[in-house]
Amino acid sequence: MRTIRDEPATVRTDLLPVLAGIAVAISGVGVALALADVRSPLRAPFILFFLFAGPACGIAAVLSRQAPAARAITAAAGALVIDLLVAQTRSSLHTLTVGGGIIAVAAITALLFLRAIGRQIRKP
């Protein structure tokens, strides 16, 4: 017997890529506003979203074999640790700038995503 649902199957299957695209767009706008030094009320919330969501998604991608709840908690804590370590390192080196911190977090996030992609490629 078939069951009738209120929402079509495409809504459930296509929602995650759409949300990921929106997150990338928000992060990209925040990074562009910060690096271009544009005075905008959207700059601070967008860049804070990037500084938290970027490393968190990278860590979650690396931990794909874990349970969803454990992956979310670890990703959130890891994102906070990455941001704090970047700030601590740049502060102790006396090179604390807005653009440099954003680029450092972006580089660490890119390395996390490359690690996750490398794992997918090597999978038999």
Side-chain angles (χ1 to χ4, degrees):
M1 185 168 145
R2 292 178 46 178
T3 58
I4 298 174
R5 298 185 189 254
D6 289 344
E7 60 185 37
T10 57
V11 171
R12 281 181 269 128
T13 58
D14 292 341
L15 185 61
L16 188 60
V18 170
L19 291 176
I22 292 170
V24 168
I26 290 171
S27 297
V29 169
V31 169
L33 289 174
L35 293 179
D37 200 24
V38 175
R39 304 282 181 219
S40 170
L42 296 177
R43 177 181 167 181
F46 282 10
I47 203 62
L48 285 175
F49 179 79
F50 165 73
L51 288 174
F52 184 75
C57 290
I59 292 171
V62 170
L63 299 175
S64 62
R65 297 177 185 164
Q66 301 295 325
R71 186 176 8 171
I73 291 169
T74 305
L80 185 63
V81 167
I82 287 173
D83 290 338
L84 290 175
L85 284 176
V86 166
Q88 172 68 32
T89 303
R90 296 188 54 80
S91 177
S92 66
L93 295 174
H94 302 291
T95 60
L96 192 60
T97 61
V98 174
I102 292 169
I103 291 171
V105 170
I108 292 170
T109 302
L111 289 174
L112 287 168
F113 278 118
L114 286 174
R115 168 79 173 141
I117 291 170
R119 180 180 292 166
Q120 291 292 331
I121 291 173
R122 283 186 288 172
K123 231 184 216 183

